[in-house]
Amino acid sequence: MADKQEWFEITLNPTDENSGNLVIKWDMNQAEIPLKPSKLDTVIKISDKLKEIQRIESDSNKKG
């Protein structure tokens, strides 16, 4: 990566309706892991959990 990523970040980037890439960033590193579950609802559950984690982190930062 060209810019340093100060915080550990995990995102899920859909590539089509049945798969996506799990993207992990930290410091000067980025890794993308392709995910191809047998069911679309698995991708949706993972994405929803990651959004929930981001919301919790955001709420925590507002309080701190």
Side-chain angles (χ1 to χ4, degrees), residues 12 39-52:
L12 182 63
K39 297 181 181 180
L40 178 59
D41 64 325
T42 302
V43 172
I44 293 169
K45 287 178 185 178
I46 292 170
S47 179
D48 288 346
K49 286 296 179 185
L50 289 172
K51 288 176 186 174
E52 181 181 346

Side-chain angles (χ1 to χ4, degrees), residues 1 9 17 20 28 30-31 35 37 39 43 51-52 62:
M1 293 182 0
E9 179 182 331
E17 68 179 38
M28 298 297 288
Q30 175 176 323
L35 301 174
K39 297 181 181 180
V43 172
K51 288 176 186 174
E52 181 181 346
K62 290 176 185 175

Side-chain angles (χ1 to χ4, degrees), residues 8-61:
F8 183 74
E9 179 182 331
I10 300 173
T11 55
L12 182 63
N13 295 333
T15 54
D16 64 32
E17 68 179 38
N18 293 317
S19 62
N21 290 332
L22 182 67
V23 181
I24 300 171
K25 297 179 185 177
W26 190 32
D27 197 33
M28 298 297 288
N29 303 297
Q30 175 176 323
E32 290 193 33
I33 302 134
L35 301 174
K36 181 120 177 123
S38 59
K39 297 181 181 180
L40 178 59
D41 64 325
T42 302
V43 172
I44 293 169
K45 287 178 185 178
I46 292 170
S47 179
D48 288 346
K49 286 296 179 185
L50 289 172
K51 288 176 186 174
E52 181 181 346
I53 290 168
Q54 289 174 336
R55 183 187 49 78
I56 290 168
E57 287 177 341
S58 177
D59 291 348
S60 176
N61 288 336

